[in-house]
Amino acid sequence: MAETLVKDLIEEAQGRRLARRLAVRELRPRRVFAGFAAALLVTAAGGVTAIELLAGALGSTVHPVPGVAPIVIVLRGHSWDDPNVLTPAGAVAFLGAAFLLAALPGRLRGVPLAGADPRLAGVIGRAALRRTLADAALDVPGIERARVRGLGVLRRGLVVRATTGYRNPANLAELVHRAIGVRLDRIEPMHRPPVDVRLGWRKD
């Protein structure tokens, strides 16, 4: 019995990992054009550099790549710490890094959902998730306004700002937290975000 239970738990954890990998692979923008252009640029620059270095190592005075000779002549007239060299080099390095970052896969289009079948990938939009959680908070008696923020690039958790007209809110914040937890249980996100409820009430 215990062996069967452990085996089921292991298979369930493996299924979750497979589902996560599938969701990341299927739902993340691939930016194919930017990746192809970056790979082509890096390959071309590396090829030109390799050809020129090989020619120099063999003692050749002729530059095999057309158009490289004038650039080499200009560069030989400047030192490495010359601002006329450092400024363009820094700009090229910055643009190259930005280009490579643009070629990386983007973030997921939404929040992946847990599923029983690891071969299926589901997702809910971040804005839609925030709206449905705000509606869950508004279903709590006494809550007049509710806004949900979070699930961005820098914030992984959810911040719920709720307002009530009561002068003594008692355990209202706990009820809001519980209502949002119930709604998250129904939605079943693959990674459940932490929830921080901040309640405002009348103080007059």
Side-chain angles (χ1 to χ4, degrees), residues 108-159:
L108 291 176
R109 296 185 180 94
V111 179
L113 302 178
D117 191 347
R119 297 170 297 178
L120 301 177
V123 68
I124 181 173
R126 292 178 178 83
L129 179 60
R130 290 193 294 264
R131 282 195 302 270
T132 189
L133 294 181
D135 291 340
L138 289 172
D139 288 342
V140 177
I143 297 298
E144 298 176 350
R145 289 188 300 274
R147 295 179 62 186
V148 180
R149 290 289 179 266
L151 294 178
V153 177
L154 300 178
R155 185 188 293 275
R156 297 300 178 186
L158 293 168
V159 177

Side-chain angles (χ1 to χ4, degrees), residues 80-110:
W80 284 106
D81 57 354
D82 193 326
N84 292 328
V85 175
L86 293 177
T87 303
V92 170
F94 177 78
L95 290 175
F99 197 58
L100 290 175
L101 288 175
L104 294 176
R107 69 171 183 157
L108 291 176
R109 296 185 180 94

